[in-house]
Every structure is written in structure tokens, then in C-alpha cells.
Amino acid sequence: MSSYDVIVIGSGPGGYVCAIRCAQLGLKTACVEGRETLGGTCLNIGCIPSKALLHSTHMLHEAEANFETMGLMGGKPKVDWAKMLGFKDDVVEQNTKGIEFLFKKNKIDWLKGWATIPEAGKVKVGDDVYEAKNIIIASGSEPASLPGVEVDEKKVVTSTGALELGKVPGKLVVIGAGVIGLELGSVYKRLGSEVTVIEYLDVVTPGMDGEIQRTFQRTLKKQGMDFIMGAAVQKTEVGKKGVTVSYKLKKDDSEHTLEADTVLVATGRKPYTDGLGLDALGVEMTKRGQIAVGKDWQTNVKGIYAIGDCIEGPMLAHKAEDEGMAAAEQVAGKHGHVNYGVIPGVIYTSPEVANVGETEESLKEAGKEYKVGKFNFMGNGRAKAMLAAEGFVKILVDKETDRILGAHILGPNAGELIHEICVAMEFGAAAEDLALTCHAHPTLSEAVREAALACGDGPIHS
Ligand code: NAI
């Protein structure tokens, strides 16, 4: 029987990063993965393929909306959908193969198949049983189901099916105005679909800063996306031609239907722990079906750890990666740590939305006195030169100390710009520290500095 210091179950961003870190720390490591390729949901059917489609359709939008203004004349590009999907698949392959290379380089064994834990210290894959001093579960998540809605991944799809539709739908109904619904809704909107988003709440992207939610929804409406808010989807019925979506408006309980060629169900994800045998092992779970862990990511069963989407917290690849590195260090007797207060969130629409830390709403709820420093991209020269001067940077600081508590950006490259603020927050910086830092001109980052200046004496360009 082969034996390892660590067996990681799952090779998504949590699992593969954890395995690499374990190997770097000198631990004999294996990683179990049942898919044909490494990388989990993120690389195969999530973050990476969706970003390939977001990028290519963003380019299409640029060509259609902005090229002529910039003096780039000529015919509008025609979409070859099969080729675009091929491009996406190539991007996925390069990334998944990249992980395979990293595993070889770090001497990590890939145990191919689906894992079960028959007892602490043992992992079974197919007919083979391996010994493991430590087991780290990184089994991820799967789309949550919605009563009355049967997913066939053809006409009624989750994000998985939405990444490989046979053709661009004429009418797409998206259930849920969360991250997945709005990102993939944007892709198809730019490809020419009529897109209607049905959302249960009265706001998009629950949990985000209220001002961002409102501005973001306005921006998407301007791009042609339709919204039916305060509406609970009851059921979908697949007919010969398309799909009928039935929903109920919360305000008056009235019932309505909508016809679609394709329906995307994007109403959240749930932890995936099927087949691991956690029940029999007595591993404690939370009420929401997540694996319960302590500060060191260890479960109540000694030697079994869990990280990523299958435990509590935001279901984000980078949160899983950080936990993977930290758990590896804990297993190696070091002091792995994750600062859950500084985990950025990004929605890769166009413009992008990025956030970190507190929102105005969470600060009000906590009764904390704060100041807002805001700067519109309209005052940023670079954004104007890119025809992308839409949105703003908003920094929230402690009223007394000027310490940065949170930041919210809607605008070009928001997902890159947010990290300057994340680093500042990790260092416990005040907005003045950002404001006093020289920022190259002309860059979008100057908008971050201006928002920091707005927390003090005021920005220059507004
Ligand atoms: P979500 O939790 O972000 O949004 C789901 C939305 O569906 C909510 O607004 C909810 O109110 C609504 N909803 C639920 N039931 C409904 C019903 N019956 N009728 C109408 N609306 C209903 O979930 P989503 O977008 O599926 O994403 C799942 C996870 O994946 C999230 O945790 C997200 O953070 C993560 N993810 C992150 C990405 C990123 O960071 N860029 C990209 C894709 C996914």
C-alpha cells in the first residue's frame, strides 16, 4: 500500500494549490481527481472558460461600439460561434495541462478516480487504498437545484451547459442576478441574445455595496439587459420549441410566464461532498451542509482537513487557494493564516465590479462611523482615452483614524485595481497612505489615488 504525508481530495484551485504547497514544504503528496483533467470547476467549467468568452465578446463589443469612434473603419466582425467555443476550449486545455506540468515538477502523484475515506488515515480510489497521515478535502461545490426546474444542460442549463450551447439563443432567461447570471448573461447579450434576468430580491448581486448594486444594474440595463426584480421562479417547462418560465411577483403574488429558447439557472451553488463517506466517519457538518472546520482547517476527525467551497465562506477560487496554502502550512507544523477580512470579489462584466472589505450597509449596521471618498472615472484621462470612463472608485475609511475599511470599484479593470487597496488594507493603511503614494500618469490607478484623496482634503480632478 502506497503511503503519503498528505492526500488532497480534489484538484480545483483549492486542492491543486494546496498539493503544490505541501510538496514545496517537503511533504510526500498525492492529489485525487476523478475528472479527465486537473483544475476542478474553475479551470474546466467555471472561471477560466467563462473569462475566455467574456474576453472574446468584450472584443466584439469594442469593435461594434467603439472602433469607428477611434477611426478604425471596416466591416463589423462576424461571430463564428464554433470557433469561439474552440478558443475557449484551447484556453481551458492550456490551463489544465499547466497544472499537470506543475504536479510533475513538484513530484505530486495524481490518483485518478473518485475518492472515499474508509477511515481516518486512509483514502480509497477505485480498488486501491492509500495511507495518508493527513487528508485534505477540497471537493468544491456544484450548482444548487431549484424546485420545479429540471436542468437538462441543453435548454435549461447551469453555468456548465451555458459554456457550450449548440447555438447562441435568441431569447435567454437567466434565473438569479448573482455573479454567474450577470457574467454569462453579459456574454450572450453581447452575442445578440435578448436577455431577461429574473431575480428574487429587489437588488442585483446580494451582499454588495448598495450604491454599486444600483449603478451596476443601471449600467447593465443600458447595455440592453432586462430585469424582472422581486420575482420568484416557480417552474420551467420544456416544450417543442423552447422553455416556458413561470414566476410569481412578490409584491402582489401575481403569476406570470415568459418564453425562452434557453434558461440559465444561476441561483447559487452548494458544497459537493457526495461519496466521501463523511457521515460514516462522523465528520461534523454545518446546518448548511458545509464541512465544519476549526481555525487550522481541521475537522472534528483528527488528520482530516477541509478547504474551499465545501467549507464556510464565499465560494471563490482565490479564497480556496489561500486556504489551501494555509492548511498545507498547518499540516507542516507552520502557522498558515487567512485574513478573511481582505478577500476581494470581482464580477468580470464590462465594466468590471470589484470589492473588498466592508460595505456602507455593513458599517451602518455595525454602528461604525465612516467617511466615503469617491472618484468618478469621468475625471480619469486614461479611462477617457479608452472610451471606458464609466463608473467610480469608492473607498470607505474609519472616520477617526482614516484606516481603510473597504473599497468598491465599478469601472475599467476594476478587478486589477482593487488589489492596490487590498495590499494597503493588509498593511493596515490609512487612505492618506494611498493618497501620498505617487501613481504613474496616465493610469486607471490614478482613480484609486483620487478616491483616497477624496477621503481627505479632496481629489484634484473633480
Ligand atoms: P449567487 O448566490 O451569486 O446569486 C444567486 C441569485 O439567485 C441571488 O441573487 C438569489 O436571490 C437569486 N435567486 C435564488 N432563487 C431564486 C428564484 N427562485 N427566482 C429568482 N431568483 C432567485 O449565485 P451564482 O451566481 O449562482 O454563483 C454561485 C457562486 O459561484 C457564488 O458564490 C459566486 O460568488 C461564485 N462565482 C464567482 C464568480 C466570480 O468571482 N467572478 C464567478 C462565478 C461564480
Side-chain angles (χ1 to χ4, degrees), residues 46-47 50-51 141 146-147 174-183 198-201 203-206 228 231-234 247 265-269 309 313-318 344-348:
C47 321
S50 64
K51 259 82 268 177
S141 60
L146 191 59
V174 177
I175 312 177
V179 188
I180 294 183
L182 298 183
E183 283 187 0
I198 306 182
E199 167 58 47
Y200 180 75
L201 300 172
V203 291
V204 300
T205 56
I228 300 172
V233 169
Q234 310 287 306
Y247 63 92
V265 189
T267 50
R269 297 179 63 86
D309 283 9
M315 289 184 170
L316 296 171
H318 43 282
V346 181
I347 308 179
Y348 298 90

Side-chain angles (χ1 to χ4, degrees), residues 75 83 113 144 151-152 324:
K83 201 158 181 189
V151 170
D152 60 12

